[in-house]
């Protein structure tokens, strides 16, 4: 089974759009999505399920913020090696610094415009599903 | 002996004055002496053994000799008897020799009783043998050789000889044993001696080495002591050089040994002219004063010091000078040769000052007379002016009071009655006066008054307080008073205080009104600021929340455009384009608003900003636009300033973006940034060759959301320049524009060196 990508974003249309774009780029990549932090944690902490290859996490979420979710992920010994990329509309320096302090692998500002977004997903998928190596233990 | 030893000690002592050195010398001497004593003793022992060996050897030799001589005798007897040749007759020499040998043997063994006995036996046998031989010879001479031979053949002689041999052999054997023992003992002693000599040599070496080390240390100590002395002499010279007053060091015969630098400078003499000269020869014999010479002589012989001897004389290049001379005897290190330290002090001015004081006293007396006269006149004038003073006090509505503290009675003028409104005609005590003061102020006023009576303080007080009139109305008064003290030390206390009182009710009322107005104003301002802040916060949050849906809208419009089946009807195509345009515009507006929020409401960090670097950063973010427009940039040298990097970046970024946006599309874009440093701060100018601004709208460009052009011509949100103005004015600076329509514009702003709000926020 092909590894999958987890999207955490409270804007469902964004998730839908990403899934659409992903399909045109590599139809084999599955996505799992969560609209709140708690939902994302629940899915990830379920030991019967396979861990995603990478989590694309929005910062502005209803309930737990993205940074809080990141903090909890990195505390969990089973989940701490799952790569987390922050995907946010904002680019406040304080947020960026805190995200990296908490162990985020990347901080991406959401690109503006469809063309840019598509380009970003292509690069992202290329890096995480083709070139990157992972610890499987 | 004792005398000679002590004289040696004295000699050593004179050579080496250091006592410790003498000790080590003596120790070495005693060691060597003891060692040689032991060697001599052992040597003596050895000698006696050697003597004894020689003696024993002699005994053996002598015994052997006797034995041989006896054998000779025997063989001669045989020879004579056998041949009849008289030549074989026993010679008297042989007999004498035997006798000699025996007696010398006896002499040798004289001290040894056992040997003596044996030698006695030997002698007896020898004598018997000799008698036998004599008898045989007589027989031979008288009866002829045959009976002699016969007698010989009886072998009596041989037997005797045999016995002699036995005795002598036993002696020899005994002596040889003794010899052997003695040899062994000698060898042993020899070894001991050798060992002793060896030990002695080693010991002497050790002692010599030890002495050498001690001696070396002593010599070093001595040379150290010499150096110390030298240093002491040097430091003395340094002291003499350093002291500001001229100093001289004199030998006992009053020649100058050395002088301080100050002496040379003061008297303009060189070292050659001074050193080794008699003091009274110096210069032009100014010091040749008989009394001075006598006093110096006394310092040498009787007294230890001479102090404060005044010498007044005319010195070349200095004129008349008075010198205060002090001298003190000091040790030169050589007994019987004292030195004198002479110090000189220029008291010319003091003497003249004393004269001046005398003169001044005279003048003072004259002045005193004049002054008394003047005081008299002044008193007259004062009496006149008192009248004026009374008038003035009345005009100013100034109440005067005089407090007799000792009797606690307060006297006052009529105005005081008006001001306080309640005073009876009779004088009042302080507690009664305090009763009339408003109860809220009473304690404060009482404290100020009693503080003013404190003899430690300055005796002054100044108060503003309320007074309650008998009709119950409250009035304000300002009171100032000065206390006067009498007595000394612990007895000192305030006896009187005099002061003024002024009605300030009207002033206080006005002040109260102003205070009220100010307070309500501050309240309004705080309320306004609070609501402003709330609004700003609201705007910021709204902008943040709006950003995501607006962007999302843009994305979906793009999706629509892409996935709609083509060709579209033109109405739909237009609708999509308008949607897209509005989505882009609102996204830009939101971004600009967010920048405003970021620049204005984020924490103000102040740090050193290198503007050259910062402008390069801004240009990097504008790279696509710069490349599209092929803009020519001219950036002058910019300073490093203390400021908030976020705000500075925003200002330069917006101005550059502005210049690029409003370019004249018919010509190549040229943009320049310049900076002028003035005393107050920096003046920056961003200049372009764009479309320029109509002078009519010059002020409007800095207003929020104001636009001079449509989006079709020049896209924009109308926030950039407004934000720049906001930031620059926040620093306490000014922003403005000069422009020629169609030629270009130059936006200038200044950055004060003491940027106001930055200073406030970083403090």
């Amino acid at each position: 089974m092909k590894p999958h990508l987890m999207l955490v974003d409270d804007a469902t249309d964004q998730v839908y759009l990403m899934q659409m774009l992903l399909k045109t780029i590599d139809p084999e990549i599955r996505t799992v999505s969560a609209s709140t932090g708690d939902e994302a944690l629940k899915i990830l902490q379920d030991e019967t399920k396979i861990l995603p290859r990478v989590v694309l996490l929005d910062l502005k979420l209803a309930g737990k913020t993205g940074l809080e979710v990141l903090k909890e992920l990195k505390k969990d010994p089973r989940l701490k090696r799952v790569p987390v990329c922050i995907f946010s509309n904002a680019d406040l320096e304080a947020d960026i610094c805190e995200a990296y302090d908490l162990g985020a692998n990347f901080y991406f500002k959401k690109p503006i415009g469809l063309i840019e977004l598509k380009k970003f997903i292509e690069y992202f998928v290329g890096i995480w599903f083709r070139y990157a190596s992972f610890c499987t233990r | 002996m004792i005398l000679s030893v002590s004289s040696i000690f004295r000699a050593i002592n004179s050579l080496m004055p250091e006592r410790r050195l003498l000790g080590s010398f003596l120790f070495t001497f005693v060691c060597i002496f003891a060692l040689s004593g032991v060697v001599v003793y052992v040597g003596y022992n050895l000698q006696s053994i050697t003597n004894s060996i020689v003696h024993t050897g002699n005994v053996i030799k002598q015994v052997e000799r006797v034995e041989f001589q006896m054998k000779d005798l025997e063989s001669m007897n045989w020879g004579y008897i056998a041949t009849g040749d008289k030549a074989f007759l026993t010679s008297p020499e042989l007999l004498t020799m035997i006798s000699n040998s025996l007696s010398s043997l006896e002499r040798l063994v004289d001290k040894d009783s056992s040997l003596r006995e044996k030698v006695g036996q030997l002698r007896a046998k020898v004598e018997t043998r000799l008698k036998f031989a004599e008898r045989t010879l007589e027989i031979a001479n008288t009866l002829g050789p045959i009976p002699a031979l016969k007698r010989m053949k009886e072998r009596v002689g041989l037997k005797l000889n045999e016995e002699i041999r036995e005795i002598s052999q036993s002696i020899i054997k005994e002596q040889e044993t003794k010899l052997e023992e003695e040899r062994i003992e000698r060898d042993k002693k020899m070894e001991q001696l050798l060992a002793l000599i060896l030990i002695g040599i080693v010991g002497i070496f050790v002692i010599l080495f030890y002495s050498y080390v001690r001696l070396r240390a002593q010599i070093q100590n001595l040379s150290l002591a010499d150096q110390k002395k030298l240093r002491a002499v040097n430091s003395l010279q340094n002291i003499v050089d350093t002291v500001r007053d001229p100093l001289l060091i004199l030998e006992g015969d009053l020649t100058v040994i050395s002088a301080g630098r100050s002496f040379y400078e003061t008297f303009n003499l060189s070292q050659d002219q001074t050193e080794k000269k008699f003091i009274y020869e110096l210069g032009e014999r100014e010091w040749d004063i008989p009394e001075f010479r006598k006093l110096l002589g006394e310092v040498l012989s009787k007294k230890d010091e001479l102090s404060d001897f005044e010498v007044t004389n005319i010195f070349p290049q200095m004129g008349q000078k008075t010198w205060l001379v002090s001298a003190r005897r000091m040790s030169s290190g050589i007994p019987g040769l004292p030195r004198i330290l002479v110090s000189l002090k220029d008291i010319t001015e003091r003497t003249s000052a004393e004269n001046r004081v005398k003169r001044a006293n005279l003048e003072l007396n004259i002045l005193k007379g004049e002054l008394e006269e003047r005081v008299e006149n002044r008193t007259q004038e004062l009496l006149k002016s008192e009248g004026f003073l009374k008038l003035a006090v009345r005009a100013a509505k100034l109440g005067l009071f005089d407090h007799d503290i000792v009797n606690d009675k307060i006297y006052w003028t009529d105005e005081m009655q008006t001001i306080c409104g309640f005073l009876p005609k009779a004088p009042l005590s302080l507690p009664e006066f305090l009763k009339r003061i408003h109860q809220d102020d009473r304690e404060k006023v009482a404290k100020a008054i009693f503080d003013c009576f404190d003899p430690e303080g300055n005796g002054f007080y100044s108060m503003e307080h309320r007074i309650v009139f008998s009709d119950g109305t409250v009035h304000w008064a300002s009171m100032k008073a000065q206390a006067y003290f009498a007595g000394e030390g612990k007895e000192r206390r305030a006896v009187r205080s005099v002061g003024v009182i002024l009605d300030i009710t009207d002033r206080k009322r006005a002040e109260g009104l102003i205070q009220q107005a100010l307070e309500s104003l501050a309240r309004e301002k705080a309320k306004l600021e609070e609501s402003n802040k709330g609004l700003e916060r609201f705007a910021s949050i709204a902008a943040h929340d709006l950003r995501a849906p607006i962007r999302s809208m843009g994305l979906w419009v793009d999706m629509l455009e892409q996935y709609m089946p083509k060709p579209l009807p033109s109405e739909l195509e237009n609708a999509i384009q308008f949607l897209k345009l509005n989505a882009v515009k609102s996204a830009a507006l939101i971004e600009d608003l967010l920048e405003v929020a970021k620049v204005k409401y984020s924490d103000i960090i102040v740090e050193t900003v290198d503007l050259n670097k910062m402008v390069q950063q801004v240009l990097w973010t504008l790279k696509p636009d710069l490349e599209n427009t092929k803009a020519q940039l001219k950036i002058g040298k910019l300073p490093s300033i203390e400021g908030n990097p976020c705000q500075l970046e925003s200002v330069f970024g917006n101005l550059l973006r502005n210049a690029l946006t409003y370019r004249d599309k018919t010509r190549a874009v040229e943009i320049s940034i310049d900076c002028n440093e003035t005393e107050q701060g920096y003046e920056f100018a961003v200049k372009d060759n764009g479309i320029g601004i109509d002078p009519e709208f010059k002020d409007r460009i800095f207003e929020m959301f104001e636009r001079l052009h449509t989006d079709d011509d020049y896209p924009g949100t109308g926030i950039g320049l407004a934000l720049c103005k906001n930031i620059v004015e926040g620093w306490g600076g000014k922003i403005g524009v000069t422009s020629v329509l169609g030629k270009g514009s130059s936006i200038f702003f200044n950055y004060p060196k003491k940027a106001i709000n930055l200073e406030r926020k970083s403090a």
Side-chain angles (χ1 to χ4, degrees):
Chain A
M1 191 152 51
K2 265 229 161 191
H4 64 278
L5 163 70
M6 184 168 194
L7 295 167
V8 187
D9 200 322
D10 62 345
T12 42
D13 67 323
Q14 282 286 318
V15 176
Y16 176 63
L17 184 61
M18 295 278 284
Q19 283 168 336
M20 268 177 70
L21 291 172
L22 256 173
K23 235 173 247 167
T24 64
I25 292 158
D26 187 342
E28 278 187 59
I29 295 173
R30 292 180 308 117
T31 53
V32 170
S33 66
S35 57
T36 66
D38 282 325
E39 195 189 339
L41 284 168
K42 203 175 149 196
I43 295 167
L44 285 168
Q45 279 160 352
D46 184 349
E47 293 192 18
T48 60
K49 287 184 178 153
I50 305 166
L51 289 174
R53 170 143 290 185
V54 59
V55 177
L56 203 51
L57 176 65
D58 190 5
L59 281 189
K60 229 172 78 42
L61 296 172
K64 272 202 181 81
T65 67
L67 287 173
E68 281 163 348
V69 173
L70 175 64
K71 206 173 181 178
E72 280 190 41
L73 281 180
K74 291 298 168 187
K75 256 198 271 173
D76 189 322
R78 195 177 74 97
L79 303 176
K80 67 180 179 191
R81 288 211 186 95
V82 176
V84 178
C85 299
I86 304 296
F87 196 51
S88 169
N89 274 316
D91 60 347
L92 290 173
E93 207 178 352
D95 284 347
I96 298 170
C97 292
E98 201 187 341
Y100 281 114
D101 285 347
L102 290 172
N105 296 65
F106 280 113
Y107 189 110
F108 297 116
K109 198 187 171 195
K110 282 185 184 169
I112 299 169
L114 191 65
I115 298 158
E116 284 295 309
L117 184 62
K118 204 170 168 186
K119 239 190 243 171
F120 168 77
I121 294 170
E122 271 168 13
Y123 286 136
F124 185 81
V125 166
I127 284 171
W128 290 105
F129 291 84
R130 195 174 306 154
Y131 298 115
S133 305
F134 299 91
C135 172
T136 50
R137 261 187 287 160
Chain B
M1 175 69 180
I2 292 165
L3 268 176
S4 70
V5 166
S6 66
S7 68
I8 286 170
F9 275 5
R10 260 206 300 282
I12 292 164
N13 232 341
S14 69
L15 278 172
M16 301 163 183
E18 294 286 322
R19 193 146 293 187
R20 274 182 295 176
L21 208 59
L22 174 70
S24 61
F25 184 80
L26 266 180
F27 177 70
T28 317
F29 186 74
V30 167
C31 285
I32 292 171
F33 189 78
L35 252 171
S36 39
V38 173
V39 169
V40 165
Y41 170 74
V42 175
Y44 179 75
N45 257 356
L46 197 67
Q47 179 70 34
S48 77
I49 287 167
T50 314
N51 283 345
S52 156
I53 287 169
V54 170
H55 179 261
T56 315
N58 282 344
V59 171
I60 292 169
K61 231 186 261 168
Q62 217 57 251
V63 172
E64 274 177 344
R65 185 176 289 163
V66 171
E67 200 190 323
F68 279 122
Q69 280 165 352
M70 289 314 290
K71 270 183 188 158
D72 274 0
L73 184 80
E74 181 76 20
S75 45
M76 275 167 130
N77 280 356
W78 277 96
Y80 175 69
I81 291 159
T83 59
D85 191 344
K86 292 244 178 155
F88 286 110
L89 263 175
T90 315
S91 63
E93 288 93 358
L94 186 61
L95 289 174
T96 323
M97 273 166 70
I98 290 170
S99 148
N100 277 350
S101 296
L102 266 172
S103 42
S104 66
L105 184 60
E106 275 167 346
R107 266 204 308 282
L108 277 174
V109 303
D110 195 28
K111 283 169 187 164
D112 190 331
S113 58
S114 70
L115 261 178
R116 207 162 57 211
E117 200 183 312
K118 279 199 177 146
V119 170
Q121 284 171 13
L122 191 67
R123 180 175 265 280
K125 291 289 174 196
V126 167
E127 274 167 4
T128 321
R129 179 67 186 95
L130 282 175
K131 270 182 196 149
F132 180 77
E134 228 171 288
R135 189 84 188 107
T136 314
L137 277 178
E138 268 177 35
I139 291 167
N141 283 335
T142 54
L143 302 173
I146 305 304
L149 264 174
K150 213 169 132 185
R151 187 181 160 83
M152 296 282 276
K153 275 178 186 166
E154 283 169 11
R155 307 177 84 91
V156 178
L158 274 176
K159 218 170 167 179
L160 274 169
N161 264 6
E162 200 59 34
E163 281 169 14
I164 288 168
R165 213 179 75 89
E166 265 170 29
I167 292 169
S168 48
Q169 280 308 315
S170 89
I171 293 173
I172 287 169
K173 214 170 177 181
E174 195 180 296
Q175 290 301 304
E176 273 177 347
T177 322
K178 194 178 165 195
L179 196 66
E180 196 56 35
E181 281 169 5
E182 279 170 352
R183 274 201 186 123
I184 289 165
E185 199 177 341
R186 190 192 59 179
D187 287 352
K188 222 155 73 192
K189 283 274 150 77
M190 200 70 141
E191 275 168 18
Q192 280 176 1
L193 187 66
L194 273 174
L196 266 171
I197 289 170
L198 210 65
I199 290 167
I201 289 168
V202 171
I204 285 167
F205 265 112
V206 168
I207 288 161
L208 280 177
F209 183 69
Y210 171 72
S211 308
Y212 166 73
V213 169
R214 287 290 299 265
L215 211 64
R216 228 181 102 130
Q218 306 281 11
I219 287 166
Q220 265 172 4
N221 276 348
L222 281 176
S223 67
L224 268 177
D226 279 351
Q227 279 175 10
K228 261 189 211 159
K229 269 184 202 160
L230 203 66
R231 268 207 299 275
V233 170
N234 279 341
S235 66
L236 179 66
Q237 185 63 45
N238 283 340
I239 291 167
V240 168
D241 280 344
T242 316
V243 174
R244 212 180 303 153
D245 291 335
L247 286 182
L248 277 172
I249 298 176
L250 302 183
E251 196 68 87
D253 56 4
L254 301 186
T255 53
V256 177
I257 297 171
S258 70
R261 198 183 308 146
S262 164
F263 182 87
Y264 296 131
E265 283 165 6
T266 311
F267 293 99
N268 200 21
L269 290 168
S270 72
Q271 206 164 341
D272 292 338
Q273 287 171 310
T274 312
E275 284 184 5
K276 301 210 174 65
K277 294 270 164 54
F278 287 108
I279 182 166
Y280 37 81
E281 282 179 352
L282 293 180
E284 290 169 12
R285 303 186 78 91
E286 293 95 353
W287 300 98
D288 193 5
I289 303 162
E291 197 191 349
F292 179 51
R293 225 196 279 191
K294 195 183 118 208
L295 284 166
L296 281 182
E298 275 176 13
V299 170
L300 282 169
S301 55
K302 296 177 209 155
K303 290 194 282 181
D304 275 343
E305 59 177 67
L306 150 72
S307 53
D308 300 348
F309 175 68
E310 279 183 28
V311 175
T312 305
N313 214 334
I314 295 166
F315 292 87
Q317 295 176 17
M318 283 191 285
Q320 179 160 338
K321 283 267 171 183
T322 306
W323 291 97
L324 195 66
V325 183
S326 299
R328 174 178 267 278
R329 185 165 61 191
M330 55 183 211
S331 165
S332 64
I334 305 162
L337 253 181
R339 287 181 174 171
I340 306 174
L341 179 69
V342 179
S343 81
L344 307 172
K345 197 176 178 108
D346 186 354
I347 53 159
T348 315
E349 277 178 25
R350 199 174 79 187
T351 352
S352 60
E354 275 166 9
N355 290 334
R356 272 208 300 279
V357 168
K358 275 181 204 158
R359 262 204 309 278
N361 267 334
L362 265 174
E363 282 169 19
L364 213 62
N365 276 332
I366 300 165
L367 277 175
K368 205 176 146 195
E370 280 177 20
L371 207 64
E372 276 165 2
E373 200 179 320
R374 257 200 252 167
V375 166
E376 183 61 29
N377 292 341
R378 189 90 186 100
T379 316
Q380 292 295 330
E381 280 170 27
L382 271 174
L383 283 176
K384 259 184 254 165
S385 65
E386 202 182 0
F388 289 119
L389 185 68
K390 270 184 184 158
L391 286 174
V393 164
R394 200 162 294 154
K397 287 194 177 170
L398 210 58
L400 301 183
F401 65 87
D402 185 345
H403 183 193
D404 175 357
I405 295 167
V406 182
N407 301 310
D408 194 13
K409 280 195 175 130
I410 305 169
Y411 304 89
W412 55 84
T413 57
D414 295 343
E415 283 78 13
M416 187 107 168
Q417 176 84 24
T418 327
I419 292 164
C420 299
F422 57 87
L423 296 176
K425 279 281 169 198
L428 209 66
S429 71
L430 185 61
E432 282 169 326
F433 173 75
L434 285 173
K435 247 184 243 168
R436 322 277 163 138
I437 287 169
H438 191 285
Q439 59 177 11
D440 290 353
D441 291 345
R442 202 174 290 148
E443 204 176 312
K444 197 172 68 175
V445 173
K447 189 179 180 298
I449 290 173
F450 286 115
D451 282 352
C452 142
F453 292 166
D454 182 5
E456 305 273 309
N458 60 5
F460 179 75
Y461 82 82
S462 170
M463 285 288 307
E464 286 185 0
H465 59 83
R466 280 163 289 180
I467 293 170
V468 186
F469 276 25
S470 43
D471 60 4
T473 49
V474 175
H475 293 250
W476 275 91
S478 167
M479 189 155 76
K480 287 182 167 56
Q482 175 71 51
Y484 296 92
F485 301 91
E488 287 302 322
K490 281 186 179 173
E491 296 294 306
R492 185 174 161 82
R493 61 205 176 90
V495 291
R496 185 183 173 200
S497 81
V498 178
V500 296
I501 195 158
L502 184 67
D503 188 341
I504 55 164
T505 311
D506 292 343
R507 196 189 89 199
K508 276 285 165 187
R509 202 170 288 145
E511 271 177 14
L513 287 175
I514 290 171
Q515 188 63 31
Q516 265 173 21
L518 279 177
E519 272 167 20
S520 77
L521 208 65
R523 268 200 302 277
E524 289 300 316
K525 199 182 161 210
K527 243 190 254 171
L528 213 64
E529 271 175 3
E530 189 55 41
S531 85
N532 240 353
K533 251 187 211 158
L535 264 175
E536 280 162 354
R537 251 199 309 276
F538 169 74
S540 165
I541 293 166
H544 270 110
D545 284 350
L546 274 172
R547 175 150 71 177
I550 284 174
R551 278 193 186 177
S552 201
M553 233 154 73
L555 284 172
W556 287 115
V557 173
D558 285 349
M559 284 296 284
L560 264 181
E561 190 187 18
Q562 204 167 338
Y563 288 95
M564 280 285 207
K566 305 268 164 42
L568 283 174
S570 65
E571 290 87 353
L572 208 52
E573 175 70 45
N574 284 341
I576 286 175
Q577 286 309 319
F578 284 131
L579 250 178
K580 201 173 157 180
L581 196 73
N582 277 306
V584 168
K585 204 173 150 187
S586 38
L589 206 60
I590 285 290
E591 289 303 318
D592 279 355
L593 279 173
L594 280 171
E595 197 189 338
V596 173
K598 187 170 152 188
V599 166
K600 286 198 71 190
Y601 310 119
S602 62
D603 289 338
I604 303 284
I605 307 156
V606 177
E607 54 187 57
T608 308
V609 182
D610 183 351
L611 289 178
N612 298 298
K613 267 192 201 162
M614 207 207 66
V615 166
Q616 288 307 318
Q617 265 175 39
V618 171
L619 289 175
W620 193 81
T621 62
L622 295 174
K623 210 175 162 193
D625 290 335
L626 288 169
E627 278 170 0
N628 286 343
T629 57
K630 296 196 177 90
Q632 294 286 312
L633 290 166
K634 262 198 282 174
I635 296 163
K637 203 180 176 317
L638 301 175
S640 284
I641 59 178
E642 292 295 313
N644 175 250
C646 189
Q647 292 185 347
L648 287 162
E649 205 177 310
S650 179
V651 171
F652 279 98
N654 274 310
L655 293 183
L656 283 167
R657 215 171 291 128
N658 210 56
L660 283 170
T661 306
Y662 298 101
R663 65 185 182 272
D664 189 328
K665 282 159 190 164
T666 61
R667 55 178 175 245
V669 181
E670 284 172 19
I671 301 172
S672 70
I673 302 178
D674 292 300
C675 173
N676 257 332
E677 190 177 347
T678 65
E679 247 177 63
Q680 288 82 32
Y682 301 95
E683 280 175 6
F684 297 93
V686 179
K687 205 172 166 185
D688 61 51
N689 62 344
I691 54 171
I693 299 157
D694 189 331
E696 199 184 326
F697 305 122
K698 233 167 82 174
D699 296 327
R700 275 176 59 191
I701 59 164
F702 295 111
E703 295 298 316
M704 193 63 95
F705 305 119
E706 280 291 346
R707 310 246 14 239
L708 302 182
H709 305 273
T710 62
D711 277 348
D712 296 342
D713 298 333
Y714 301 98
T717 57
I719 290 177
L721 286 180
L723 180 58
C724 286
K725 185 182 179 197
N726 206 309
I727 292 171
V728 170
E729 286 178 351
W731 296 333
K734 270 183 186 158
I735 193 163
V737 63
T738 53
S739 180
V740 178
L741 194 62
K743 288 269 172 79
S745 42
S746 167
I747 297 182
F748 55 85
F749 66 95
N750 61 347
Y751 186 87
K753 275 181 181 167
K754 286 181 180 171
I756 298 164
N757 79 331
L758 293 183
E759 211 172 49
R760 192 180 63 222
K761 293 206 176 173
S762 65

